[in-house]
Every structure is written in C-alpha cells, then in structure tokens.
Amino acid sequence: MKIIVFIQQIVSTQVKLQGVDYFDASRVSDDDLVINPTGKNAIEGALKLKDSQGAEVTAVCVRGIKPNKALKEAIAMGCSNAIEITDEAFYTDDPYLLAKIYAKALEKIGEYDLILLGVDEQSTSSYAAPAMLAEMLNVPSVLTAEEMEMIDSGFRVGHVLEGGKKIVEVPQKALISCSDSQYFIPRYTTMRGILAAKKAVIPIWSAADLGLETSKVNVDAASLKQISLSNIVIEKETFLINEGEPEEMVDKLLAKLKEDEVKLGA
Amino acid sequence: MKILVFIQIRDDKVEENTLGILNKIKTSIQGVEIIGALLGKDLKDRWIQELGLHGVQQVVTATAPELEVFLSATYTKAMMKIINNVNPRFVVAAGTVYGEDLIPRLAVRSNTSCAQRFVDFTVEGDGLHFHTPVRDDQAMKVTQVVGDIIFATSRPGAFFVDENPTGTAPNVTNVSVTFDDADRLVKHVEIKKAERTVNLKDAKVIVAAGRGVAGKENFQIIRELADLLGGQIGATRACTDVHWVEETYEIGQTGQSVSPDLYIAAGISGAPQHMSGVKAKTLIVINKDEGAPIINYADYAIIGDMHTILPILKEKLK
Ligand SMILES: Cc1cc2nc3c(=O)[nH]c(=O)nc-3n(C[C@H](O)[C@H](O)[C@H](O)COP(=O)(O)OP(=O)(O)OC[C@H]3O[C@@H](n4cnc5c(N)ncnc54)[C@H](O)[C@@H]3O)c2cc1C
C-alpha cells in the first residue's frame, strides 16, 4: 500500500503573539517551527498502517518556513520518504490554492492508494483543504476521523459528529482527514528514525517541477483574500500561580479567590 | 443580496447554529432574500414553518432515500443542483462537521475558495468581510471571498438564536435529484448517538478534566471535587472518546454547551472546539503547561500537576 501524508509546518501556537508580524521568519527560532498538530496525527495514522499491513509512507510538506525540518521529523517518526514542495510564488493561505498544489503533487507522484491529512491547520483555522482536495481528485473521502480499521473493501472509519460519532466505510483508494483523537496520538521519534532522517535526501519540487503555472497559485490567483490580521486582546487578566510547592500554590489560589469574593460552591 | 443557507436538522429540530446564522443575517444585512436549502428523506412541515418564523422566505427542498443521512457525495450533488437553480450571491452553513465538509466541496465545484469558521461578518460594498479567529484564538483574521459567489461557514456557538422570531410561512419549491453508483462509494454504517443522561446546561459549578487526567480511575477525584462544590463533572472529547467517562459529560461543539458561574478545568488544553461550549463567569485552570491556550481564558491558573494539586485542593476545601 502506498500512502501519501500531507503535512504543513506552522509557527507553534505555544509561541504567543507579540504583534501582527509573527509570520516574519526572522522572529521565530527553529524550535518554534512545528508540524501542524493534526498533520502529525495523520502521520500516526499512516504509520499504524505501515506497522500492521506494510506500507510505503511518503510525507509531503507544502506550507512552512523550513519544510525540510518538518519532513525530517516525519522520517524520524517512521515515514519511508519525504518530498518538499516549495516555490516563492505559492500562496497557501488560501486552501483552494493549497489543494490545487496538492493535486498537482499527486499527479507527479503518480501511484498511490490512500491520502491522509490533518483535520485543520491552526494558522489559518482552515478545515477546507482536505475536502477541497477530495473534490478535485474525485476520490471518496471521510473527514474528522477518530479511528480507522482495515476491512476487506477498504476502511471502516469512525468520525467526529455533533452528539456522537458516525461510522462509514470507504474504499482503499480514499482520502481521510485525521483528528486529535487517542487513536491518532503521534508517536515519538526513535533513534533509528533520527538516523534515517539525518541520511535522508529530501527532494524539493518547485511549481515548474509540478508543471504548475505560478500565476494560478500565487497571491493574485487567490479567491480567499486576507484583509487584515490582528491580535486578539483578551481583556481578562489571569492570576497566574507558577511557582512554589503544590500546597503553597493551592493556598495562594484559595486566598486570592477569597479576596476576590469568588463563591466556590453552587 | 440573495443568500442560500444550508439547513441542518438535529434531534428533529432545526439545529441552533443554523438558527443563529439566520438571526445574524437578518440583523446585519439589509434587503436580503433568505433561501433555505433543506435536504433529506422525509421532511417535516414543522421544520419549514420554523424556518419561516426565523426569516427564511423560501425553502428549496431535495428529497431522496439517499439523503436520509449526510454523505459528502450525495449532499454535494443535491446542493449543487439547488445552487444552480437559485443562483445565490452567498452560500453559508453552520460550521458543524457536516457544514465544514460540504461548503469547501461546493466552492471547488464553483471554482472558488471559501471563508471558514467566522464569528462575525460585515457588509463591504457588494461583498462580505469574514472575521475568523486563528492560531488557537490568538489572532483575528479578516478575509473576503472574491468572485460571483461567496461560500463560508460560521463557527459553532458564534451567534444567538432569535428568541422572539416573527417571520411568516415561506414558499416551498422542490428540486429533483437522482444518484448513481459513483455517489455511493462511501457507505453509511451507523451513527452512535451519545446518550445525554445528564443535563449540564444549568449547572452552576463544573469541574472538568481533559486528557491530562490520564485514565478512567482518575475521574474519581474530579467527581469528589464536584460533589464537594455541589456541582457537576465535565470532560473533553479526548476523555469521552476513549470512555474514561460517560459521553454525556462531553462539553464543546460536539458535546454540551455550558454556562456555569465556576468552571474548573484540569488537564485541558483549550482547543477551540471545547472552548466554544464553555461560557463561565470564573474559570480556574490547572495545567502543567504554561503555554496551553486555555491559560489565555483563565481568571486563575495554577501551573502544576493536576494529580498533585487536586487532592490538596480537595482537602483544603473540606
Ligand atoms: C470537528 C471537531 C469537533 C470537536 N468537538 C469537540 C468538543 O465538543 N469538545 C471537546 O472537548 N473536543 C472536541 N474536539 C476535539 C478537540 O479538537 C481536542 O482534540 C480536544 O478538546 C482536546 O482535549 P484535551 O484538552 O483534553 O486534550 P489535549 O489537547 O491533549 O490537552 C491535554 C492538556 O492536559 C495538560 N496536562 C497533561 N498532563 C497533565 C497533568 N498531569 N497535570 C496538568 N495538566 C496536564 C497538557 O499540558 C495539555 O494542555 C473536536 C474536534 C473536531 C475535529
């Protein structure tokens, strides 16, 4: 089985905003650059299949400041190989253009069985890329998966649903977006993986390599345009207790609650 | 402006985020024509009347056995038929699991993109500006969809339902749609409905735990604290999904919405899908990670191990 996992690299949301220019590459350190969390869940989904069925897992990263770092981590987790797709012209804040690039990448990759992606991407809060890609490729798809199981005809997948969970079956050639459920909790990198990642030569494909005219995927081509991006200032001031022995911390909390006249009972 | 709203039915009623969008449209856009797209196997007149009451002037229906439950292929096909029939300027759905699945597909079929998870929009010229919180709600991004047709989803919990709707009965038209084997590649097996045995809506105090609780047995201390404070327990989907606690206690977009005076959140990271269901007067957080998004919402936060802090808290409260 050949599995393609699309990941993205983002500035970790652990890095707090100190202005609107947080996309400014010079302001973030390498440690701040992480695989989008649900992208990592998708890698885990692929590796589970690799472990149980044997599969070739290719991680593909289109979005990010240093995609190579994200892809090395993917290999260190256990992915078989990786492809970086980078072009200065790309405008990937628009999920429609991102999905177009994904579709072209798949064309160049050629054969594949299963496509996995993360449910969302935090720097745009967008859930759209997986659905858009499925539609462009016209492959059967399930979004927001929480667990998956191989069956004769393909996969049985449980996905998130308001008020419960829904179970569906998809053929093996399918697209599935993976959520942050227990089933998809990503594994740690292994020593063996880290060594493999060190040695791995990760190819870089440009728009031209994909046969994509940059005018079709650049900022001018976007139909989702950004008007502005600004900090959300939460008026709340947090009384933060981050030092002391546990008992002191609790005492400090209770004293402050008393001072503020917060009622602790119903 | 002609607006097509994808109508979602849940528990035999028009789902409340959909009603919230209708309210938002009515109160912020002038001279609108609101059209509801209602798909299903058996549609009830009661739903149609409710839509009219909430401002829908026309309901376009599509009925077929294949539309009994939402599946991407059949719903996309039927919605495209309705879109071509109605020719709307703006197509919108509540950003539920189904809404987020459907809208991007309709956008692709219309050769355009979509805005997602908006918590507000404003009319700008003949277009719309959408406000979407990004990066775990640290920043607000404002976007616009250019082109003849605009697609977007709202974020669940973003809008209030009109409590005193005064609309009248809508016109109803129907489009016919047929399906073939290519539309049936994804098969529906079942919906496992979470049993809602406990209503958390009126709870004044909730002690909630997330994945940090690390196991079923550790919910004991959560229950004890809740009892001590005369409140209820709550949980994230991370806990209910693996049955550490009964599903009824799930709070958030896919669980219950709560508005207690006091919410104690232990071992919860603060994912937007969880936080959208929590409106608490006072939020106390216990988390070992000072960078967890939930700290931004906290009134009080202890950075530490919940397994050590909670027993001490319990003893001191006794
Ligand atoms: C469409 C959709 C809908 C969803 N709807 C919901 C919903 O309605 N409700 C919901 O809850 N989720 C929902 N989710 C899931 C949501 O995205 C998150 O995955 C989930 O809320 C995470 O739960 P969590 O905070 O418990 O776990 P995590 O995000 O894993 O966070 C665990 C937290 O515990 C802390 N921690 C760990 N150990 C300790 C310790 N010993 N002491 C103190 N702190 C500790 C960690 O620092 C971390 O902050 C939905 C997802 C999707 C895709």
Side-chain angles (χ1 to χ4, degrees), chain B residues 216-247:
Chain B
K216 197 172 186 163
E217 51 307 333
N218 298 338
F219 260 93
Q220 188 54 29
I221 182 90
I222 307 297
R223 288 182 209 279
E224 286 169 11
L225 261 174
D227 282 346
L228 203 59
L229 300 174
Q232 290 280 7
I233 63 165
T236 62
R237 191 170 177 100
C239 300
T240 54
D241 180 39
V242 290
H243 307 294
W244 286 348
V245 67
E246 294 84 341
E247 285 166 321

Side-chain angles (χ1 to χ4, degrees), chain A residues 14 38 119-120 127 144 146 160-162 179-181 185, chain B residues 95-97 100 117 209-214 235-239 250-256 266-276 286-290 292-294 304-307:
Chain A
Q14 294 262 345
T38 54
V119 164
D120 62 346
Y127 286 46
T144 67
E146 286 185 301
V160 180
L161 189 65
E162 281 77 12
S179 76
D180 167 28
S181 64
I185 293 279
Chain B
T96 56
V97 169
E100 294 293 4
R117 304 192 83 68
R211 194 173 269 146
V213 74
T236 62
R237 191 170 177 100
C239 300
E250 184 194 345
I251 292 170
Q253 179 190 329
T254 52
Q256 302 200 42
I268 294 178
S269 65
Q273 299 96 342
H274 179 73
M275 297 314 290
S276 64
I286 296 137
N287 197 303
K288 64 178 184 186
D289 174 12
E290 199 173 326
I294 196 166
D305 184 349
M306 62 185 283
H307 304 298

